Amino acid sequence: MLVAEKTISFEQVSLLYDRAADRLGMPQGIRQMLREPWRELQVQVPVRMDDGRIEVFAGYRVQHNGARGPYKGGVRFHPDADLEEVRALAALMTWKTTLLDLPFGGSKGSVQCDPSSLSNGELNRLTRRYTLNIEHLLAPNRDIPAPDLGTNAQTMAWMMDAYGQLHGHTPAIVTGKPVEMGGSLGREAATGRGVSFLLEEAAKALRLSHVDATVVVQGCGNVGSWTARLVDELGYKVVAISNLEGGVYNAKGLKLSHMTENRPAGSGLSGLPNGDFITNSELLELDCDVLIPAAIDNVITEENAPNVRASRILEAANHPLTPEADDILAQRGTVVLPDILVNAGGVVVSYFEWSQNLQEFRWEEDRVNQELRKKMSTAFQAINRRSLADKTTYREAAFDIAVERVARAVELRGFV
Ligand code: GLU
């Protein structure tokens, strides 16, 4: 099974922030403002189950920083969800939206539940109750949720409907909606497409060529399956991919065209392409040119980092490397492109969706993808320049740029 050692902690993300604040010589007061979340809410989510019982779930919404615009970030439904995790993920959203220069801050929400064990009706009721209980924090100009682990376009349609019962039709209240409900064309594939655009943009700096480079993808939910398919289309040889149960490996390259996305959890290895069985831990240690962890957080730790043989890592999941693993890999010269850049395609197209909703004007998919490509390449070039100038890793450069921008916004607002 694919399980994290322990879920991401706020301290892990704060460590990356603290190091940036040190490099930038940030004064104490503003340093603290940007470190801590602005506001946190924990709510009860009581749900009438199909058998008539009431079950009470814990729900959260954390707004980390809103200096650059409305709070923005996904909602995850996961058995391990807790306040600590959502706080860390909210902070990552602040740095991600800022790095991509979107007019948003950062937030995140979650409900501690196992969505695979709930019926459709139960999920619908849970989503509505959660939405109503955090509704006073939300608005198109305040905080805009989106899908994340365990949630999808249907979840967003329910959230939009519950919010609309109080406020009238408000599509800009959530992003990642079904296209029929005002969702953007291209949003479903956006995170994976962003990863593939980034790989194209960064290939030269990473000394990679699609002609002979091998790629390993961990995870095949929305992000992993689209990433694998689109990277394969670029001509890279995807030699391994996995899901919760394990993975498949073929040194000659997997045939990905039959892969269906979003198989229900627990569907085992069926649906994966043909290849030799490998475990998720073996997959992370495969000899390859590019490793793309695209599942959950903290899968590369100080224990397995010394065995990772890939020379470049693209973090398509949020926080797949612990800070200890990151340090070990940096010392060994492994090039890591950080999550707040690599997986930003989702929130970039969320921004396009929100803009389309506010304008009440739908863009064609080509335009969405072209604008996404521009955003990904501008962000990569900024990080590349910064890391060359300051002799830092890509992750350090990404945090330095983002932290500097948020600090500047706080200063300009003059609220300190
Ligand atoms: N959940 C995605 C992320 O972690 C998308 C967030 C959004 O679109 O607001 O970036």
Side-chain angles (χ1 to χ4, degrees):
M1 282 291 271
L2 180 54
V3 277
E5 287 268 286
K6 61 179 178 58
T7 58
I8 179 175
S9 73
F10 184 61
E11 286 314 307
Q12 288 179 324
V13 174
S14 297
L15 182 69
L16 304 173
Y17 164 74
D18 286 339
R19 288 175 178 174
D22 284 344
R23 285 189 297 275
L24 298 168
M26 288 232 302
Q28 188 48 39
I30 192 154
R31 191 182 174 117
Q32 197 178 342
M33 273 184 78
L34 267 55
R35 188 180 202 273
E36 310 295 331
W38 183 253
R39 187 150 64 163
E40 304 182 344
L41 178 65
Q42 175 168 353
V43 292
Q44 272 196 4
V45 186
V47 178
R48 174 80 59 191
M49 305 302 275
D50 291 346
D51 62 8
R53 276 179 312 118
I54 291 175
E55 203 166 315
V56 184
F57 298 90
Y60 309 93
R61 186 76 182 167
V62 171
Q63 298 176 329
H64 177 259
N65 187 287
R68 301 183 75 258
Y71 300 97
K72 185 83 190 80
V75 172
R76 63 171 56 175
F77 289 172
H78 198 270
D80 298 329
D82 61 14
L83 185 57
E84 174 75 11
E85 178 196 56
V86 83
R87 200 181 267 153
L89 293 166
L92 279 180
M93 286 309 301
T94 299
W95 311 129
K96 193 186 304 188
T97 56
T98 304
L99 184 65
L100 272 291
D101 203 14
L102 308 179
F104 289 136
S107 56
K108 200 88 176 192
S110 64
V111 178
Q112 192 182 68
C113 66
D114 177 3
S116 66
S117 71
L118 300 175
S119 71
N120 216 36
E122 288 166 343
L123 274 174
N124 184 344
R125 294 193 288 279
L126 177 140
T127 304
R128 284 171 188 281
R129 174 53 63 196
Y130 170 69
T131 308
L132 293 177
N133 288 1
I134 65 162
E135 166 275 329
H136 57 291
L137 298 185
L138 307 180
N141 62 350
R142 290 194 182 278
D143 190 352
I144 307 126
D148 199 83
L149 278 185
T151 56
N152 54 26
Q154 174 62 78
T155 323
M156 296 304 113
W158 290 328
M159 287 191 82
M160 174 183 135
D161 190 62
Y163 188 87
Q165 284 183 303
L166 296 173
H167 301 276
H169 184 62
T170 318
I173 190 58
V174 284
T175 58
K177 298 176 291 292
V179 173
E180 303 88 324
M181 303 263 58
S184 178
L185 295 168
R187 175 64 181 83
E188 189 71 25
T191 310
R193 197 173 296 281
V195 180
S196 76
F197 285 161
L198 184 69
L199 191 57
E200 270 187 290
E201 183 69 28
K204 203 159 148 229
L206 299 180
R207 294 196 195 86
L208 278 172
S209 156
H210 63 270
V211 180
D212 50 15
T214 53
V215 177
V216 166
V217 180
Q218 184 195 35
C220 58
N222 172 283
V223 181
S225 55
W226 277 108
T227 298
R229 213 182 306 173
L230 293 168
V231 161
D232 176 64
E233 268 175 41
L234 290 179
Y236 286 88
K237 198 194 288 178
V238 180
V239 293
I241 189 162
S242 64
N243 64 16
L244 284 172
E245 322 290 325
V248 286
Y249 172 72
N250 183 344
K252 296 203 184 89
L254 300 166
K255 294 225 177 339
L256 291 161
S257 45
H258 301 304
M259 233 176 76
T260 52
E261 80 223 56
N262 291 333
R263 278 167 310 286
S267 60
L269 297 172
S270 64
L272 287 184
N274 284 336
D276 300 330
F277 176 77
I278 45 168
T279 64
N280 263 294
S281 27
E282 286 166 345
L283 176 133
L284 293 172
E285 298 173 11
L286 281 174
D287 194 2
C288 61
D289 295 303
V290 186
L291 173 63
I292 309 186
I296 54 169
D297 48 74
N298 288 352
V299 290
I300 304 180
T301 64
E302 56 194 319
E303 269 91 63
N304 60 356
N307 306 330
V308 169
R309 281 183 285 168
S311 44
R312 298 94 166 164
I313 298 179
L314 265 61
E315 295 186 322
N318 282 319
H319 207 271
L321 273 59
T322 65
E324 296 78 17
D326 201 30
D327 291 343
I328 294 171
L329 291 165
Q331 271 162 23
R332 284 195 2 206
T334 310
V335 181
V336 178
L337 282 176
D339 49 3
I340 57 172
L341 169 69
V342 178
N343 71 31
V347 72
V348 168
V349 178
S350 275
Y351 164 52
F352 300 155
E353 179 173 329
W354 177 78
S355 315
Q356 292 171 66
N357 293 152
L358 295 179
Q359 295 168 352
E360 299 183 33
F361 182 79
R362 170 160 287 151
W363 299 4
E364 286 176 11
E365 188 166 352
D366 268 0
R367 175 171 176 198
V368 172
N369 293 342
Q370 272 170 31
E371 300 277 352
L372 171 61
R373 185 190 284 278
K374 268 194 249 167
K375 281 280 182 200
M376 297 304 292
S377 58
T378 306
F380 173 73
Q381 293 308 340
I383 290 173
N384 199 31
R385 274 196 305 275
R386 183 81 177 229
S387 86
L388 288 172
D390 294 354
K391 300 195 172 35
T392 53
T393 63
Y394 284 131
R395 190 189 312 278
E396 288 166 339
F399 269 82
D400 289 354
I401 293 171
V403 171
E404 213 168 61
R405 285 181 184 164
V406 178
R408 178 80 182 130
V410 168
E411 206 179 290
L412 286 169
R413 277 177 185 266
F415 60 50
V416 282

